[in-house]
Amino acid sequence: MNALKPLDNFPLTRSADPEEVRAALAKVYAEPTLELGRGARKLNGRINECRLQSIRLAYGAYGVDTCFNFPAVDCFMQIVPLRGRGEVTSRRQPVSLAAGGLTATISPDAGYLGKYSHDYEGLLLKLDRRALKRKLSAMTGVVIDQPLKMDLQDNNGTQSAQTLHQYLRVLATMLNDARPPLPAWWVSQTEQLLMVMFLCGHRHNYSHLLEQEAADPAPWQVRKAEDYIEANWQEPVTLETLAEVTGVSGFSLFRAFRRIRGYSPFEFAAEVRSRNPK
């Protein structure tokens, strides 16, 4: 019996036929060109994908050396290797991939060439560009008037980047026990957390807005956010809503929760739900 792999509860394809693998990818992403290494004619394709609302998390393994050439699409992508090695080239810039550290981020409209070893296994986080733009605007309180562009090579040394990569691994394994449909509040909170970590953990052309010093909200504004969460615990909680309720940027409020309370707004929302009847 084969060992359980991440996201096995959400299978997309199991195939030895390269054309079937390409067709499966075309349904949820974009159809790539695919070359197999070392004279291989078949592979051991195993692709899983869980779709939330604005985010998709996928797992892939192929069993032979592979080379995919993906066209540009309208989303951001985070490539996180779990095993083996690879190399991604986007806009003529190559980045090595290695389990436990080296990852890559692809911006919309870029496309990429991915080469993977026969033993490669990896996760792919896909984020809708419009949802991510709205999240960045809510976090900073600034109108995002230029396209968001991520650096291809991740800043893996930051705590936020490491936390994101670790969380993706845990989330992919945890979802093996999930049964759709997933609760709406859980989907919302998970997407909130992933987008905040993605924007904070990797360099992009708006990173300076997240790094600059800003006046923290007052304790009464944190309490006002808590009051709102307690009164609306059955509904999804977003940074956009909390920013509107408190009159401060979502990211400032997020940091203030951490500093004053020792937890995030989303952790507080989870605690409130745990002590209320279903």
Side-chain angles (χ1 to χ4, degrees):
M1 182 176 180
N2 292 331
L4 198 65
K5 297 295 185 180
L7 302 173
D8 260 356
N9 202 34
F10 299 86
L12 181 62
T13 187
R14 306 280 188 272
S15 179
D17 186 345
E19 292 303 315
E20 289 184 2
V21 170
R22 292 199 313 125
L25 290 170
K27 291 179 181 178
V28 297
Y29 174 53
E31 186 172 5
T33 61
L34 169 58
E35 296 180 8
L36 305 183
R38 300 176 184 175
R41 295 184 178 180
K42 295 183 178 181
L43 43 67
N44 185 19
R46 187 188 193 103
I47 305 176
N48 304 323
E49 186 189 66
C50 177
R51 182 173 185 174
L52 301 181
Q53 185 174 357
S54 300
I55 288 177
R56 298 182 182 194
L57 182 61
Y59 164 86
Y62 307 102
V64 298
D65 292 347
T66 53
C67 179
F68 289 94
N69 193 349
F70 282 97
V73 293
D74 196 26
C75 65
F76 290 89
M77 290 178 292
Q78 176 80 48
I79 301 171
V80 181
L82 302 176
R83 185 169 178 264
R85 303 187 69 83
E87 181 180 87
V88 167
T89 301
S90 182
R91 292 176 175 164
R92 300 183 179 181
Q93 180 183 353
V95 170
S96 296
L97 301 175
L102 300 176
T103 67
T105 306
I106 311 297
S107 293
D109 305 323
Y112 72 95
L113 177 71
K115 298 180 180 180
Y116 308 106
S117 63
H118 70 281
D119 58 344
Y120 179 86
E121 297 179 35
L123 296 176
L124 178 65
L125 176 67
K126 294 182 280 187
L127 307 98
D128 179 80
R129 72 190 303 177
R130 288 165 289 275
L132 198 63
K133 179 180 177 180
R134 290 194 298 270
K135 191 61 57 189
L136 179 59
S137 182
M139 290 171 66
T140 61
V142 173
V143 175
I144 307 302
D145 55 1
Q146 296 295 322
L148 174 62
K149 295 181 180 179
M150 309 295 297
D151 287 358
L152 177 63
Q153 178 66 65
D154 293 334
N155 186 11
N156 293 304
T158 68
Q159 182 177 357
S160 295
Q162 293 174 358
T163 301
L164 172 60
H165 303 158
Q166 293 168 1
Y167 181 70
L168 288 176
R169 294 180 178 91
V170 172
L171 177 62
T173 301
M174 182 190 71
L175 284 168
N176 277 338
D177 297 324
R179 293 290 182 271
L182 300 170
W185 68 265
W186 182 89
V187 170
S188 175
Q189 303 304 259
T190 300
E191 291 202 339
Q192 296 285 312
L193 184 58
L194 286 172
M195 285 191 278
V196 170
M197 288 194 292
F198 182 81
L199 289 166
C200 292
H202 307 301
R203 297 295 306 177
H204 50 80
N205 54 327
Y206 287 95
S207 290
H208 62 284
L209 297 179
L210 299 175
E211 295 167 350
Q212 65 187 11
E213 292 295 328
D216 281 339
W220 69 266
Q221 290 171 306
V222 172
R223 183 61 220 171
K224 189 172 184 180
E226 289 179 328
D227 289 343
Y228 175 85
I229 292 171
E230 289 182 325
N232 298 274
W233 62 270
Q234 293 177 305
E235 302 297 325
V237 176
T238 68
L239 283 179
E240 290 89 335
T241 300
L242 294 180
E244 183 177 348
V245 167
T246 60
V248 298
S249 75
F251 190 52
S252 294
L253 187 64
F254 190 90
R255 289 190 302 188
F257 260 83
R258 287 289 191 192
R259 178 177 60 83
I260 298 174
R261 298 291 195 250
Y263 47 74
S264 75
F266 310 129
E267 290 168 325
F268 178 72
E271 190 275 329
V272 171
R273 290 191 185 96
S274 71
R275 53 183 164 83
N276 277 282
K278 302 296 184 183

